[in-house]
Amino acid sequence: MKNIVLSIATLIIVGLIAGLFFYQMPSKHAEVQEPNDQAAPATQPLYANETIDYSLQNDEVSITFDKGKNWLPIPIEKEVLFNGEYTGSKEELIENSYILTKKRVAFLYYENDTIKMLSSTDQGESWQKTVISEHYPPIRFRKIAFINKHFGYVIISGDRTMSQEMSSVFLTHDGGKSWNETNNTNVTRLVADGGFTNEQTGFLSFGILNPEHPDLHVTKDGGANWSKTEIRIPKKYNKIFVIAEAPFKDGNDLAMLINQGSNGDYLGGKVKGKFLSKDEGKTWEFDREVQLDE
């Protein structure tokens, strides 16, 4: 009799434990979330951490100045932003073809054989369309930048045939209202990069198809004259650092990164050479290796 009572008591305890265990287990059905009836916004930020951003969703171009709380439509068709020789992704704008700042928003594009700029200086309340150059052949490389309120530059290449193309530099001194073309470098290699460090000093880098040496040209008179720079590359890096990127200010000197090109394999292709100039870009000396993300 005693054994029967103990057995019944044991079964009751086991049942209580099992019941408590299953009671505490979350229901699988409870893990399934109900669908959100609130539709996702038509535009989403491309870079969620940026205050100023753009969206190309639904083939519409829009911009936000408050991390996506409010979006403003931009009066331009998405497709024209990719006109010309371009085979990259159309999910994001072409690098260097636009400016996004609180004081200036600008988009460089090609339409009907004309290079144009759409810009706003009042955070999208009004927009201005400006013609930079007419009767220009289909473009490939494109870059727009302003280094102060009044001075900006546009670098364009086009009419490509194999490894040759024409290139042009346009400057503005009135905030983008009017543009004037500089004299030509007379170099027909493919443009790799370029830029200005002040209103007089500018650079153009050439050679992107299997280059063996960097080819950088400089102007010190606002594009009236161009000359090839002297880049002193140590023997260790000969035919390794081959494509010059746009120089930039580094303290009292100018600095420039030279990359390995698309086929570079030195240290896995993950380093560039940093060079410095003490004579406004005429000559360049090796400084050190830098990582790609440095």
Side-chain angles (χ1 to χ4, degrees):
M1 184 69 177
K2 182 178 179 180
N3 291 336
I4 295 174
V5 171
L6 288 175
S7 298
I8 294 173
T10 301
L11 290 173
I12 292 173
I13 293 173
V14 171
L16 290 172
I17 293 175
L20 180 63
F21 175 77
F22 285 106
Y23 176 78
Q24 290 180 339
M25 281 186 64
S27 169
K28 290 184 178 180
H29 294 290
E31 293 177 355
V32 179
Q33 298 181 353
E34 293 297 325
N36 189 352
D37 293 333
Q38 183 178 1
T43 54
Q44 294 289 346
L46 185 63
Y47 307 106
N49 294 325
E50 298 292 338
T51 300
I52 307 173
D53 199 3
Y54 70 85
S55 170
L56 302 179
Q57 289 201 2
N58 302 323
D59 288 331
E60 296 177 350
V61 188
S62 54
I63 190 170
T64 179
F65 292 92
D66 54 13
K67 292 189 175 182
K69 294 180 181 178
N70 297 284
W71 290 89
L72 298 173
I74 298 175
I76 192 171
E77 294 183 4
K78 173 184 173 181
E79 284 302 314
V80 303
L81 297 173
F82 299 95
N83 283 345
E85 184 183 342
Y86 177 70
T87 58
S89 169
K90 293 185 179 180
E91 299 302 314
E92 56 185 271
L93 294 176
I94 300 174
E95 184 179 9
N96 296 320
S97 69
Y98 62 96
I99 299 170
L100 294 182
T101 67
K102 290 184 178 181
K103 295 183 178 180
R104 186 187 304 275
V105 176
F107 299 90
L108 181 67
Y109 62 104
Y110 179 76
E111 184 180 40
N112 298 327
D113 299 330
T114 303
I115 301 170
K116 301 178 181 179
M117 178 186 71
L118 177 69
S119 63
S120 173
T121 55
D122 54 15
Q123 297 194 4
E125 292 186 14
S126 62
W127 295 89
Q128 297 78 42
K129 289 186 179 180
T130 306
V131 172
I132 296 174
S133 179
E134 294 181 302
H135 310 299
Y136 205 93
I139 66 175
R140 183 188 65 82
F141 181 88
R142 62 206 77 185
K143 184 175 184 178
I144 183 171
F146 280 78
I147 64 175
N148 58 45
K149 181 179 180 180
H150 303 289
F151 179 76
Y153 62 86
V154 164
I155 299 173
I156 295 290
S157 75
D159 199 24
R160 174 181 172 181
T161 303
M162 301 298 287
S163 61
Q164 306 292 314
E165 67 181 1
M166 62 180 290
S167 59
S168 305
V169 177
F170 302 90
L171 303 180
T172 180
H173 295 272
D174 56 12
K177 296 178 183 178
S178 62
W179 295 82
N180 295 299
E181 186 174 0
T182 70
N183 286 337
N184 198 278
T185 62
N186 295 319
V187 179
T188 59
R189 299 181 70 190
L190 301 186
V191 173
D193 201 358
F196 277 70
T197 55
N198 58 49
E199 295 189 19
Q200 298 298 316
T201 306
F203 300 88
L204 278 177
S205 173
F206 298 92
I208 62 174
L209 299 178
N210 301 318
E212 294 188 350
H213 307 283
D215 186 4
L216 183 71
H217 292 246
V218 61
T219 178
K220 294 187 177 183
D221 50 18
N225 296 280
W226 296 85
S227 61
K228 188 172 182 177
T229 66
E230 180 182 355
I231 304 175
R232 297 164 183 166
I233 299 180
K235 291 183 179 180
K236 175 182 178 180
Y237 302 111
N238 187 38
K239 296 184 180 181
I240 292 178
F241 297 137
V242 294
I243 300 180
E245 299 178 7
F248 55 92
K249 292 183 179 180
D250 187 6
N252 295 325
D253 300 327
L254 288 181
M256 172 180 61
L257 299 179
I258 302 181
N259 64 58
Q260 302 183 40
S262 59
N263 298 322
D265 58 4
Y266 173 70
L267 296 182
K270 296 181 179 180
V271 298
K272 300 179 182 181
K274 181 178 180 180
F275 289 73
L276 298 177
S277 175
K278 298 182 180 298
D279 55 10
E280 290 296 313
K282 183 178 179 181
T283 59
W284 296 86
E285 300 285 350
F286 177 76
D287 179 48
R288 59 188 176 91
E289 293 181 5
V290 299
Q291 299 295 317
L292 293 183
D293 58 353
E294 186 173 343

